[in-house]
Amino acid sequence: MRDTRESRLLLVLLVAIAFALITVDIRGGEDSPVDGARRAAATVFGPVEEGMSSAVDPVGNAIGAVRDSGERHNRIAELERQNAALKAKLGSDDRNRSRVRQLDGMLKTAGAGQYGIKGAEVIGIGAAQGFSWTVTIDAGAKDGIKRDMTVLNSDGLVGRVTTVGPSTATVLLANDPDFTVGTRMEKTDELGFATGQGDRPLSVQLLNGKAKVKKGDRLVTFGSRKDKPFVPGVPVGEVVRVDPSGGDLTRRVYVRPYAGFTRLDIVGVVVEAPREDPRDTVLPKKPAKPKPTPTVTVTATPPGQPPADGAAADEQ
């Protein structure tokens, strides 16, 4: 439409009519004369609006779903994070409880043998220092650690200190092939020398070729001159095999060590030797042998049969 005088007059007239209808509708309230027209317009345009709404709603729902999905993902991720943290805490607590048990057992061992010990944690393993079976501990010269000190844990002999730094030390484990320690048999006092064999039992050469020894017998350290490198009485292990005696001057037995060299964690370095040889007092108590359970045999007598002679005699 071109911008002419007539078109401007028509626009003014339409605006005036619109204002008049709005005024009449407001004043009429629910009885407005244009209410019928409004209902008619709703009847005509309602389905169109509904169609448009149904066309638009899936997009809105999808956006909402994506937003909710993101929120759910965040919640799930948070729960997973909390779960992982809880598991880590539980694992840490389990480890702490295990370490407390190890420390408690080691202190009991040290107390039984009257050893003055310095506790340490294993922080490294391997052949980096030039040995096959070694560990590094987090205690060194500043902690009073010196070369050729005995190392033990709650189970028994672990090894001896070979190299000392300011804050760390290297321990040669008792199962290393270069490791040798003097041993003494429980009760019989038979002496020998135990040598490491890696992941196999220790090889012990008894000085007495006719020594009476059997599976299950236990050994402790014999001790060294001036208690270096070994203090006496530290539990070494238990005999698992005995070679037949062939009339040689010595006899060989094989001993399963008490210490688990592949799972070392808390250890103690003996910085003060006992005043007296503890002998066998540091060895754990042997479990009591189970008492035999008495058995009772009951013989049923079939009906109609006379009782046994003994029973008849008792009745008479």
Side-chain angles (χ1 to χ4, degrees), residues 299-314:
T299 304
T301 303
Q305 283 192 0
D309 294 340
D314 291 340

Side-chain angles (χ1 to χ4, degrees), residues 46-95:
V48 178
E49 292 175 347
E50 186 178 358
M52 292 179 65
S53 176
S54 62
V56 173
D57 282 347
V59 178
N61 292 337
I63 295 173
V66 171
R67 181 178 61 251
D68 292 340
S69 174
E71 292 175 357
R72 285 195 298 271
H73 176 74
N74 292 338
R75 288 196 296 270
I76 292 172
E78 177 63 17
L79 289 174
E80 289 178 346
R81 186 191 65 78
Q82 294 176 1
N83 191 32
L86 180 59
K87 287 182 177 179
K89 184 177 184 299
L90 290 175
S92 177
D93 289 345
D94 289 341
R95 184 168 184 266

Side-chain angles (χ1 to χ4, degrees), residues 230-255:
F230 302 109
V231 294
V234 180
V236 175
E238 185 176 301
V239 175
V240 293
R241 182 163 65 91
V242 180
D243 279 353
S245 177
D248 297 332
L249 295 178
T250 61
R251 190 172 190 184
R252 190 170 300 278
V253 299
Y254 299 90
V255 173

Side-chain angles (χ1 to χ4, degrees), residues 259-287:
F261 302 111
T262 60
R263 56 178 187 274
L264 294 172
D265 187 6
I266 303 298
V267 299
V269 182
V270 180
V271 295
E272 184 178 351
R275 294 182 179 179
E276 297 181 359
D277 186 344
R279 308 291 294 180
D280 303 332
T281 59
V282 186
L283 284 169
K285 292 182 179 180
K286 288 186 176 181

Side-chain angles (χ1 to χ4, degrees), residues 293-316:
T293 304
T295 58
V296 178
T297 304
V298 178
T299 304
T301 303
Q305 283 192 0
D309 294 340
D314 291 340
E315 290 179 359
Q316 293 177 356

